[in-house]
Structures are given as C-alpha cells and as structure tokens.
Amino acid sequence: IGSNEYYRTEEKRNKNSVKNFSDIQINQLNTDNKEDKFVKEALTKKDGLVQEFDLNSQEKDEIKKEFKHNSKEEENLSNRDIYEKEMAKQSFFKSEYEEREGEKYTEDNAKSKKIFNQITKKADSNVNKKKPKLKPKTKIKIKSSFKKIIFLGIFVLISVLFITTFPYSKVYIEVSDLTVSDNVTVTAAVDENKADFDRRIITARKIEKDITKKVSVLPTGNSDTRPQKAKGVITIYNEFSSKPQPLVKTTRFLSKEGVLFRLPKNIVVPGIEIKEGKKVPGKIEVLIVADKTGKSSNIGATNFTIPGFKGTAKEEKIYAVSESKMSGGSDGTDNYKTVTAKDIEKAKKEAEKDSEKYVIEEIEKILKPGEEILLKNAVKLTLVRSESDAVLGSAVEKVSYSITNHVTAIIINKQDIEKIVEYALKQKKSNVSKDAKLEYEFKDIDPDFNLGKLVININATEKIDGTVDKDEFKKEILNKTHEEVEQLVKEKYPAITDISIAPTPSAPSIFADRISSRKWMTKIIEK
C-alpha cells in the first residue's frame, strides 16, 4: 500500500525499510490521493486501526483496479442521471421518471455498499479473486414528439370509425290530436251467459216489479163529525189457476187480527202466468173498506184471507197482502172534512205528475251501484191501478191517490258496454292508445220485453291527446331500422301523424337505414 514513488527504486526501499506499514499509512492519510484512501479504508478494521502486514504488488494492483472500475462506473451513473433529468423535463412521463429515479438511487447505494464489503473481505482474506464488472442497464427511449404523433393518429382513427359506424339521426315528427269514432250496434240478451265481443252481444238482467206512487192532499168539504170507516190498499194474489178469478162487490177480506174489510166494487184477479219457465201468480191491487166504523180498523200492514173460500182449495191459493196501514177510521170525534170530487181530481193529477220518472228512480235504487245501467227506453210500464183511497163524501184526515204500474226493465252491465265499444274501435283502427279518452252515447234502443232483449245503437268516440313524450320515444327507437320505427309509430303512437328520418350523409350504406344506438346522437324535432 502506498504511492508509486515509494516502490520506484531498490535504494529507496532500503532507505525506508525501517518504516513499518503504520507509518506509511499515516503519511498517506495526509495526501489527497483517492486511490490510496480507498485502499486504506478497505484495510481498516472496525476499531479504526490499520492492519500491519505487507501486501505484494499484485494484490495492490487488484485493489487499485477495483477502485478505478468503481470510479468509472460512478461517473457513468452520474452522467446518466444528468441526461435523464434533462429528458424528464420534456417527457410526458415525468412522474414515472421520478419514481424510477428513486428506485435507481436506492439500487446504486446498495451496489456501492456491496462492492465495498467485497473489497474489505478480499483484503482481509488475501484472496486473489476479481469481482465481476457491473453492466449498466440498457433502456429504450422514445422521443416525446413521436409519442404525440402516435397518440394523435390513434385518436383520429377512433373518431372516424365512431362517426361512420354510428350515424347521427334527425327524426322529424308531426303530432296532432286524433279522434276515432264508430257506430256500434250491440245486442243485450237476458239468456246470454257471457259477452261475445265478435258478435257484439252482452249479457242483461230482467226486472219485473209493481211500483206504486201515492200522493195525498187535504180534503176541502164541510166538516163532518160522523163516525168513519178505515180504508186501505191490498194486493190480491191468484195461485190457484191460470184462469182469472172474478170477485164481486162487498167480497169480504179478513185480516189475521180479525178485522173485516170489503171490496167497494167488482174486480177480476188475473190467473197464473208462465214466465221464463216459471209459474208467476196473477195479482191485482185494490181498495178495501172496513166493515165497521171506528179507529179500531186503522190496522198496520198485514195478511188477509177470503172467508168465502173457506173449506175449499182456493182458501190458501187466493189471498191478499197489504204493504201499508189502513187509515181513516173515526169514532166521530175528530171533526174531519168531507172529500169532494175536486179533492180526488187534485190528488190524481199529483200522482200522475212525473209518474214515469218516479218509476225509473225506484228501479235505479235496486241496481248494483256503478255496475248496472237502466236505459230510459228499456223500461215498460203497465198500469195496474189508479184510484183514490178516499170515498166521495166521506170525512177523512187526508185524500190519498195511488197509481200502481207493473214495471218490466232490462238492465245492462256498464263494464260490458265499455269493453265492447273499445273492442269495436280497435277493430276499426288498430293504433288506439290505452290512455285515450273513451266516450259513448246511446242513440236508438229497440227493446223486446217478451224475449228479454235490447238492440242498442251506440255512437262511440275515442279522443287521443296530441302529445308525445320525446325522451321516451327516443329510447324506443334507438338502434332500430327506419321501417321498424314506422311500425312502432303505427302501433303505439297514433298521435304522430307523420314521421321522416334524416341520417348522417357520410354514414356507410349498411348503417344509413338505422337509428344510432347512442341517445345523444339522435335528435327528435317536432314540426
């Protein structure tokens, strides 16, 4: 260990033979020779003292050679760092370089430490081995300007492909209100079990009922304190025979309470009828008068038998029922006025006024609310009774007049009517919207009460509001051909009366007849 001056001549070596290794090393510590410093550090022990033994020339040359190689490598690494830092200022990947630089710095420190340890180990063991040289990494670098050109070319290529593959479409639509109307003839039949829309037939229900309208007015005759007989209306039923049953004036009727009443005139009770395969007893409403005066005859609704039929087959088959109480019976202490002809005529006019309207209102009370419809011309009225409960010249509290009609009505179902009308309109024009407003009006009604049928002529109209949800329409036409779009309009958008589509002129022919699959590349324009 030492400079070349020390090993130059034999004379100098002899002159300095008295010097030991420590003296030489101490002198070298004062020099700026880096090679000697490197060699000295390699031979220094942990306690800082220099190992005192001689190294031959070959060993010293190897140590110095290692030093030169490492110094050169460090210089190369330093120059490479300066170059890469300058390049990083212009690079798109500055952050990537900084990360690599940090990794390289750590790697280089590890390499230097490893080399130092290897040299120290070699000096201590005097092993004559050469350390393999470290080869610097080779990196392929691409200039930033070339990267920009590549990136721009790729972007232009993708843009051209995107525009030509997915054409920009303009869809022009004309929207207006739409009205669909038709005259529909519907048959409502009692004997049908379910509706048949193709045959325009719906089910119906038949109602038969006696409805009585009764009004009262005050008597205007002179006061009469004589005792009066009670009066009232009863319904006589004939379940005995299909033949009519005549009853003469003064025929007796006995209530279950034991109060006796009589007929004031001759009547005929109709016989049994066969309706819809069932026996229907004949019936008639009549006025009866109590056999005796007094308030005891003012009894409530009850049942009556005919004493004249007692002990015969007719006793239980011909009978009567009252639905209202008997009234007018007096002991002569009530000071009632007598009934005049004008009083009876006045009561009759009041009873006949709006008689048909009254009957319809009474029928509507027994319909299913919101489900059944009673048409005005689908009602048949048969007058059963029209008379006053009061006797001319009698003293009564009030003069009553009753009009009884036998009512036959054919009832139809509202939901069936709406369904069959909607069905008929769809048959006429297939693009009727579900959200359209349905209106219908009953025109001509031809009833057949014997068969229980109604032939109804209906004027039906469906109005469609001329508005289209453009966003929803756009979603439905995406990626469809022009022909598919037109078919969609016919089936679902009747408010669109005209449509035209203008695709991008530069689009390839394979895509020219198709709406883009991108929502933002399709525009809906209302004319």
Side-chain angles (χ1 to χ4, degrees):
I1 300 174
S3 66
N4 292 332
E5 300 296 332
Y6 179 76
Y7 297 101
R8 183 173 295 176
T9 62
E10 184 71 23
E11 182 182 355
K12 288 185 179 181
R13 285 200 303 272
N14 294 334
K15 288 181 180 181
N16 292 291
S17 60
V18 296
K19 294 183 180 179
N20 56 29
F21 186 77
S22 299
D23 294 332
I24 294 172
Q25 182 62 28
I26 292 171
N27 289 334
Q28 296 306 317
L29 290 172
N30 295 325
T31 67
D32 294 327
N33 192 319
K34 294 183 179 180
E35 294 181 8
D36 295 341
K37 184 176 180 181
F38 182 83
V39 173
K40 182 199 71 171
E41 290 178 351
L43 300 176
T44 301
K45 291 185 176 181
K46 293 181 181 179
D47 56 0
L49 299 179
V50 178
Q51 186 178 11
E52 295 182 0
F53 60 87
D54 290 332
L55 297 176
N56 57 37
S57 177
Q58 185 178 357
E59 290 174 337
K60 289 190 287 185
D61 288 343
E62 287 181 359
I63 294 173
K64 290 180 180 181
K65 192 174 182 179
E66 289 285 349
F67 171 78
K68 289 179 181 180
H69 169 73
N70 293 337
S71 298
K72 186 176 181 179
E73 184 177 351
E74 288 178 359
E75 181 178 359
N76 289 338
L77 292 173
S78 177
N79 291 336
R80 185 177 67 186
D81 290 345
I82 293 172
Y83 174 75
E84 288 186 351
K85 286 179 180 178
E86 289 300 321
M87 290 299 295
K89 293 178 181 179
Q90 306 176 33
S91 175
F92 284 105
F93 309 102
K94 183 175 180 181
S95 60
E96 181 179 334
Y97 164 76
E98 291 174 350
E99 293 178 1
R100 188 170 66 250
E101 184 183 27
E103 294 174 357
K104 177 180 69 57
Y105 177 77
T106 304
E107 182 180 354
D108 291 344
N109 285 346
K111 288 180 180 179
S112 298
K113 184 175 181 181
K114 183 177 181 181
I115 294 170
F116 182 80
N117 291 337
Q118 289 176 347
I119 294 174
T120 303
K121 183 177 181 181
K122 185 185 294 185
D124 290 341
S125 59
N126 293 324
V127 178
N128 187 16
K129 292 182 180 179
K130 291 185 179 181
K131 183 179 178 180
K133 293 184 179 180
L134 298 174
K135 295 182 179 181
K137 293 183 178 179
T138 303
K139 297 185 178 179
I140 299 175
K141 298 181 181 179
I142 301 175
K143 292 184 178 181
S144 60
S145 59
F146 187 66
K147 290 180 181 178
K148 291 180 180 179
I149 293 172
I150 293 174
F151 179 78
L152 183 61
I154 293 173
F155 176 78
V156 172
L157 178 61
I158 292 174
S159 300
V160 171
L161 290 175
F162 186 83
I163 293 173
T164 57
T165 305
F166 303 101
Y168 181 87
S169 301
K170 291 183 179 180
V171 181
Y172 298 89
I173 60 174
E174 185 174 334
V175 181
S176 61
D177 294 341
L178 182 64
T179 301
V180 181
S181 61
D182 192 15
N183 289 323
V184 184
T185 301
V186 180
T187 301
V190 174
D191 56 356
E192 292 290 335
N193 295 325
K194 62 179 181 179
D196 187 336
F197 294 159
D198 289 325
R199 295 167 56 203
R200 303 289 196 272
I201 295 177
I202 61 173
T203 61
R205 181 165 74 99
K206 187 176 181 181
I207 295 177
E208 287 195 80
K209 182 180 178 64
D210 286 343
I211 296 178
T212 300
K213 181 181 180 183
K214 184 177 181 179
V215 297
S216 299
V217 297
L218 296 175
T220 60
N222 297 324
S223 297
D224 190 349
T225 58
R226 291 176 299 175
Q228 302 293 328
K229 295 179 180 180
K231 304 173 187 66
V233 177
I234 60 172
T235 301
I236 304 173
Y237 292 91
N238 180 6
E239 295 181 359
F240 177 74
S241 173
S242 59
K243 295 181 180 181
Q245 175 63 54
L247 296 175
V248 299
K249 182 180 178 179
T250 71
T251 297
R252 294 174 299 165
F253 287 85
L254 184 64
S255 72
K256 65 180 182 179
E257 294 84 6
V259 180
L260 189 64
F261 289 80
R262 293 179 183 272
L263 283 176
K265 62 182 181 179
N266 297 334
I267 63 166
V268 176
V269 182
I272 297 174
E273 294 181 354
I274 304 298
K275 295 182 179 179
E276 299 178 5
K278 296 180 181 180
K279 289 183 178 182
V280 179
K283 60 181 180 177
I284 185 174
E285 287 188 350
V286 296
L287 175 70
I288 58 175
V289 180
D291 186 55
K292 296 179 180 180
T293 62
K295 293 182 178 181
S296 61
S297 300
N298 295 333
I299 59 175
T302 187
N303 296 333
F304 295 86
T305 60
I306 300 176
F309 294 146
K310 188 174 181 179
T312 68
K314 295 181 180 181
E315 181 179 4
E316 294 182 357
K317 296 296 183 178
I318 300 177
Y319 57 90
V321 176
S322 66
E323 296 182 356
S324 58
K325 68 178 183 178
M326 303 295 165
S327 61
S330 171
D331 296 328
T333 59
D334 297 318
N335 196 24
Y336 291 143
K337 291 185 177 182
T338 58
V339 178
T340 65
K342 290 183 179 180
D343 296 334
I344 294 175
E345 185 65 24
K346 180 179 179 182
K348 180 181 179 181
K349 288 182 179 179
E350 290 291 332
E352 291 176 343
K353 183 179 180 181
D354 297 329
S355 177
E356 185 177 349
K357 180 180 178 182
Y358 175 83
V359 169
I360 292 175
E361 289 176 351
E362 290 298 308
I363 291 292
E364 288 177 344
K365 290 179 181 179
I366 61 177
L367 299 182
K368 297 177 182 178
E371 295 183 17
E372 294 181 319
I373 302 174
L374 173 64
L375 302 179
K376 183 178 180 181
N377 294 342
V379 180
K380 178 183 178 182
L381 303 181
T382 303
L383 184 63
V384 175
R385 173 176 173 263
S386 176
E387 62 181 350
S388 175
D389 298 343
V391 178
L392 185 63
S394 62
V396 294
E397 181 181 2
K398 56 186 178 181
V399 178
S400 299
Y401 198 96
S402 299
I403 295 179
T404 301
N405 287 289
H406 180 74
V407 181
T408 304
I410 299 176
I411 311 301
I412 60 175
N413 187 281
K414 180 180 180 181
Q415 190 175 13
D416 285 348
I417 286 291
E418 292 178 353
K419 285 183 178 180
I420 204 167
V421 165
E422 184 178 352
Y423 180 82
L425 291 176
K426 285 184 178 180
Q427 295 299 310
K428 183 176 181 180
K429 194 167 185 178
S430 61
N431 62 350
V432 175
S433 172
K434 291 182 179 180
D435 299 328
K437 185 179 180 181
L438 180 65
E439 297 178 353
Y440 56 90
E441 181 182 2
F442 297 104
K443 291 294 186 180
D444 301 325
I445 299 173
D446 184 15
D448 187 334
F449 295 101
N450 293 327
L451 297 177
K453 289 185 178 181
L454 288 178
V455 178
I456 311 168
N457 186 19
I458 303 174
N459 183 12
T461 303
E462 195 160 19
K463 295 182 179 180
I464 303 171
D465 188 16
T467 57
V468 174
D469 188 336
K470 294 181 182 178
D471 289 336
E472 185 65 26
F473 178 66
K474 183 186 292 187
K475 290 179 183 178
E476 295 201 45
I477 67 173
L478 293 180
N479 204 31
K480 283 185 170 59
T481 64
H482 295 184
E483 184 178 351
E484 290 173 337
V485 172
E486 292 175 358
Q487 185 64 28
L488 175 68
V489 169
K490 290 180 180 179
E491 294 176 355
K492 195 171 180 180
Y493 293 92
I496 299 178
T497 56
D498 185 53
I499 182 170
S500 58
I501 305 171
T504 304
S506 61
S509 58
I510 190 173
F511 299 108
D513 191 38
R514 182 176 292 275
I515 303 295
S516 172
S517 61
R518 301 300 195 273
K519 186 177 179 180
W520 61 272
M521 296 187 73
T522 303
K523 188 174 183 180
I524 308 298
I525 303 172
E526 187 173 345
K527 295 180 182 180

